[in-house]
Amino acid sequence: MSKQTKAAKRPLTGEIGTPSATDGKAAPTSGAAKKAASESAALNKAAPKKAASKKAAPKKAAPKKATATKAASKETAATKKAATAKVAPKKAAKPESQLAMVRRARKINRELADVYPYAHPELDFRNPFELLVATVLSAQTTDLRVNQTTPALFAKYPTPEDLAAAVPEEVEELIRPTGFFRAKTKSIMGLAVALRDDFGGEVPGRLDDLVKLPGVGRKTAFVVLGNAFGVPGITVDTHFMRLARRWKWTESDDPVKIEAEVAGIFPKSEWTMLSHRVIFHGRRICHARKPACGACPIAHLCPAYGEGETDPEKAKKLLKYEKGGFPGQRLNPPPDYPGRPAPPLGATP
């Protein structure tokens, strides 16, 4: 075969898929390609891992977030617990025993005796008859108004016999300033008739006899017995009732029950003066609507402290009668009274 024919039959070097006379020399190139491919594959293989690492980074932070959430939850729980602790009601105080209450009540009486050594009935009177009539007239009004009214009444009708024979309209006009004057006229004229007809014109000194008189109840009877006859008695008026309840001496609002309960706390010899001291305190300091707690000398013994004004300066302005520097209720007070006498009806204080 000629050289030309052999050359024609030899394939073109470099055609794809055709072996070449230079294949042995191309092997290195093929190995480099393989190496490059291998490196490329490795890079490609590593890339997802790197990306995965980047994506996984937040997952590593997840526990931190969970820890923070857990901490926040604990903090919220702690806050709620603290808030609950703040608003939780205080533990109820141990109830006062009967013995402790009696001791405290008697201490109040002793301290009131120091505060009001001059305590007395605040109605002007010269005899049992005048005290009886004045006490009946004091219903639904002040002792001051009664004291300003009775001088003219007793000047005209000094005895039960005189009052029993009076003209009702004239008596009504004299006692008009005390209020409810028609009903009161009927009562005082009725008791005057009873005194004249049943007791020889004298006021009886027994409770059972006094409460039978027109317009006379237990309160009025004890005022007369205690202050005109020296017979101990507890006078449960509106002031006494209010303070006995504030001081936890009783929980009742029935005057007869209050009288019985308080009588069981104090010796009988103290009943009359106890009544004066409590009533004095109720009129001067422990008022119904706005007690002067900040000026009260027995505040440390009072379970109701704080119901009224606790600021000392403001409380001082609430004091009445001699405690506030004003005239008392009597036109003719006892010699040891430290305040000023009350002015007559129509006069300027």
Side-chain angles (χ1 to χ4, degrees), residues 135-203:
T135 306
V136 172
L137 293 178
S138 69
Q140 305 298 318
T141 190
T142 63
D143 287 357
L144 171 60
R145 185 51 56 95
V146 174
N147 292 335
Q148 292 173 327
T149 303
T150 50
L153 178 69
F154 294 141
K156 191 167 187 179
Y157 310 110
T159 67
E161 291 82 0
D162 295 325
L163 185 57
V167 176
E169 289 76 17
E170 293 179 0
V171 176
E172 287 177 2
E173 194 58 34
L174 286 170
I175 68 170
R176 182 184 290 270
T178 66
F180 303 96
F181 56 90
R182 291 190 179 89
K184 288 179 179 179
T185 294
K186 187 176 180 181
S187 292
I188 63 174
M189 289 190 69
L191 70 83
V193 170
L195 291 176
R196 181 193 64 190
D197 297 345
D198 301 332
F199 298 99
E202 299 292 333
V203 175

Side-chain angles (χ1 to χ4, degrees), residues 67-332:
T67 306
T69 306
K70 195 173 181 182
S73 177
K74 283 183 180 179
E75 188 178 349
T76 305
T79 305
K80 284 182 180 178
K81 192 174 181 182
T84 307
K86 283 179 184 178
V87 298
K90 290 184 179 180
K91 203 172 182 180
K94 189 177 179 182
E96 185 179 40
S97 68
Q98 178 69 16
L99 178 60
M101 183 276 289
V102 169
R103 286 174 175 169
R104 179 172 56 80
R106 292 184 177 185
K107 191 170 184 181
I108 287 175
N109 182 40
R110 290 194 298 272
E111 295 202 14
L112 289 179
D114 292 335
V115 177
Y116 307 106
Y118 50 86
H120 59 271
E122 294 191 89
L123 290 169
D124 285 328
F125 69 96
R126 293 171 295 185
N127 55 58
F129 172 64
E130 290 187 356
L131 179 58
L132 178 60
V133 171
T135 306
V136 172
L137 293 178
S138 69
Q140 305 298 318
T141 190
T142 63
D143 287 357
L144 171 60
R145 185 51 56 95
V146 174
N147 292 335
Q148 292 173 327
T149 303
T150 50
L153 178 69
F154 294 141
K156 191 167 187 179
Y157 310 110
T159 67
E161 291 82 0
D162 295 325
L163 185 57
V167 176
E169 289 76 17
E170 293 179 0
V171 176
E172 287 177 2
E173 194 58 34
L174 286 170
I175 68 170
R176 182 184 290 270
T178 66
F180 303 96
F181 56 90
R182 291 190 179 89
K184 288 179 179 179
T185 294
K186 187 176 180 181
S187 292
I188 63 174
M189 289 190 69
L191 70 83
V193 170
L195 291 176
R196 181 193 64 190
D197 297 345
D198 301 332
F199 298 99
E202 299 292 333
V203 175
R206 294 177 62 249
L207 177 64
D208 292 342
D209 293 332
L210 285 169
V211 295
K212 291 177 183 176
L213 300 173
V216 178
R218 291 178 69 85
K219 182 191 82 171
T220 299
F222 281 128
V223 170
V224 174
L225 289 172
N227 297 286
F229 294 99
V231 177
I234 295 174
T235 305
V236 183
D237 70 348
T238 56
H239 301 289
F240 193 99
M241 186 183 300
R242 179 177 72 255
L243 270 59
R245 288 173 60 85
R246 279 182 179 167
W247 294 336
K248 306 299 182 184
W249 294 356
T250 179
E251 292 183 355
S252 177
D253 55 5
D254 180 273
V256 177
K257 288 182 180 178
I258 292 173
E259 177 196 323
E261 289 182 28
V262 174
I265 298 173
F266 299 93
K268 192 173 183 179
S269 59
E270 287 289 314
W271 290 356
T272 299
M273 287 309 299
L274 170 72
S275 300
H276 291 324
R277 293 165 191 151
V278 173
I279 293 170
F280 256 57
H281 193 66
R283 285 174 172 167
R284 287 151 177 77
I285 296 176
C286 198
H287 313 134
R289 293 186 181 178
K290 201 169 184 182
C293 295
C296 180
I298 59 164
H300 58 290
L301 297 171
C302 181
Y305 175 79
E307 284 188 13
E309 181 58 65
T310 56
D311 181 83
E313 292 304 317
K314 292 180 180 178
K316 284 180 184 178
K317 296 177 182 179
L318 300 174
L319 302 178
K320 295 183 179 179
Y321 304 111
E322 75 280 359
K323 290 297 180 183
F326 304 108
Q329 298 203 80
R330 294 188 67 167
L331 277 65
N332 300 296

Side-chain angles (χ1 to χ4, degrees), residues 31-46:
K34 284 180 182 179
K35 188 177 181 182
S38 177
E39 287 179 0
S40 176
L43 288 171
N44 289 338
K45 203 171 182 181

